Amino acid sequence: VPHSLHQEVYCAAIKAGKVSMDLVDQEPSQRRRFMPSTEIDLVQSYSRAKSSGEMRVPNLDIVLDNFSRRFTTSLTNVLQRTFAVDREEISTTNFQQSLLDLKSQGAVGIYAMSPLKHGCLFHFDTLLSFTLLEIMLGSSQSSESLALDRNLTTIEMAILRTCMHDICQDLQAAMRPVIELQVNLSKVENNFRLVNIVEPETEVLVTRFNIQLAGEKCGQMRLIIPYLTLEPLREKFKALVTIAQA
């Protein structure tokens, strides 16, 4: 591992629980004792962290956890139901594969993130889309959400736009410790062949969010953002730890 990456490698090992941060107090008169240890493959730790996306943009997880809390509040307040948004790990792939993984289901919101280039995508899967539609169209609280096996209509996507628009303010607020952004929802699309914010082979970071309604899973949301969008902010993301500790 290159010397310049040592600190990030050790951080990845600590996050994975491979390195203990506990301190052992000893009296001078005590006999020296050694704590049990296991061998750490730093190259493998670095490779796993890099493929997971955590080391591509350090501390991005902190910002996305902040976003999760804010979007939880927005959904709960707007729809008057008890929602919970939980982030999963950040992974990396190319843009084309990230769209193929969506399996042409649900709806994608295309967002501009001025002054950053390329923007990002938020995807609502089919189950989440129809759950939100049922609530916004006045379904009773006892009705069960169903993932219907059909594409969303133009009218349904227009209704979903309300929830997707709330993402703008929540993402802006979550990113504010790093950069002041103006996030705008440009379009809602269900034909993913028309979604083209970067070249097919461009590296993207993909984050999944599990959405729960009253303690029951009601779908999944996915954030797709090009690495090129966040790469200029890498040093500012690194500084988040220093800010938090100050």
Side-chain angles (χ1 to χ4, degrees):
V1 180
H3 178 72
S4 61
L5 295 176
H6 279 182
Q7 184 177 2
E8 294 181 15
V9 170
Y10 280 110
C11 287
I14 291 170
K15 282 189 176 182
K18 300 294 186 181
V19 177
S20 174
M21 297 299 292
D22 296 332
L23 299 177
V24 179
D25 295 330
Q26 288 185 329
E27 295 295 334
S29 60
Q30 286 183 326
R31 184 180 178 181
R32 180 175 293 179
R33 294 179 298 173
F34 294 94
M35 300 296 291
S37 62
T38 55
E39 183 179 350
I40 301 173
D41 188 328
L42 293 179
V43 174
Q44 284 190 0
S45 297
Y46 171 73
S47 298
R48 284 194 298 269
K50 183 177 179 181
S51 64
S52 73
E54 292 183 8
M55 287 184 64
R56 297 299 281 147
V57 182
N59 301 319
L60 177 60
D61 56 334
I62 297 175
V63 171
L64 294 182
D65 286 341
N66 187 356
F67 167 76
S68 297
R69 292 189 293 269
R70 292 176 180 277
F71 193 53
T72 293
T73 301
S74 294
L75 284 177
T76 299
N77 290 343
V78 171
L79 300 180
Q80 295 297 296
R81 306 288 178 91
T82 304
F83 283 90
V85 180
D86 297 314
R87 178 187 64 83
E88 293 189 354
E89 69 177 7
I90 306 167
S91 61
T92 63
T93 185
N94 62 58
F95 182 64
Q96 183 177 37
Q97 186 59 51
S98 72
L99 293 182
L100 291 175
D101 291 342
L102 303 181
K103 304 184 186 302
S104 298
Q105 297 178 346
V108 164
I110 304 172
Y111 294 81
M113 301 171 64
S114 179
L116 301 180
K117 296 181 179 180
H118 309 300
C120 68
L121 308 176
F122 275 92
H123 172 256
F124 288 7
D125 71 3
T126 305
L127 177 58
L128 177 60
S129 297
F130 283 110
T131 298
L132 297 177
L133 284 168
E134 285 183 356
I135 295 173
M136 288 187 284
L137 293 175
S139 69
S140 65
Q141 294 201 18
S142 61
S143 63
E144 296 183 357
S145 300
L146 297 175
L148 303 181
D149 187 20
R150 64 172 177 81
N151 291 332
L152 294 163
T153 66
T154 302
I155 294 177
E156 287 169 336
M157 288 193 297
I159 297 172
L160 278 178
R161 190 181 180 94
T162 300
C163 287
M164 287 190 163
H165 187 268
D166 290 336
I167 288 174
C168 296
Q169 295 296 325
D170 294 331
L171 187 58
Q172 283 179 191
M175 286 287 290
R176 194 162 290 130
V178 180
I179 186 174
E180 194 71 39
L181 290 179
Q182 184 65 43
V183 181
N184 292 297
L185 176 59
S186 304
K187 189 177 182 181
V188 179
E189 186 61 71
N190 66 352
N191 184 351
F192 302 157
R193 290 177 296 180
L194 301 179
V195 178
N196 185 26
I197 60 173
V198 288
E199 295 296 321
E201 296 305 315
T202 300
E203 179 186 8
V204 295
L205 306 178
V206 180
T207 308
R208 294 173 176 83
F209 300 86
N210 288 322
I211 316 295
Q212 291 188 337
L213 172 60
E216 299 292 332
K217 183 176 180 179
C218 67
Q220 190 174 81
M221 180 175 70
R222 195 173 307 200
L223 165 63
I224 301 173
I225 185 165
Y227 174 68
L228 292 175
T229 299
L230 299 178
E231 193 275 336
L233 305 174
R234 199 177 149 82
E235 293 303 316
K236 291 186 177 181
F237 272 101
K238 282 184 179 181
L240 281 180
V241 173
T242 304
I243 294 172
Q245 292 176 346

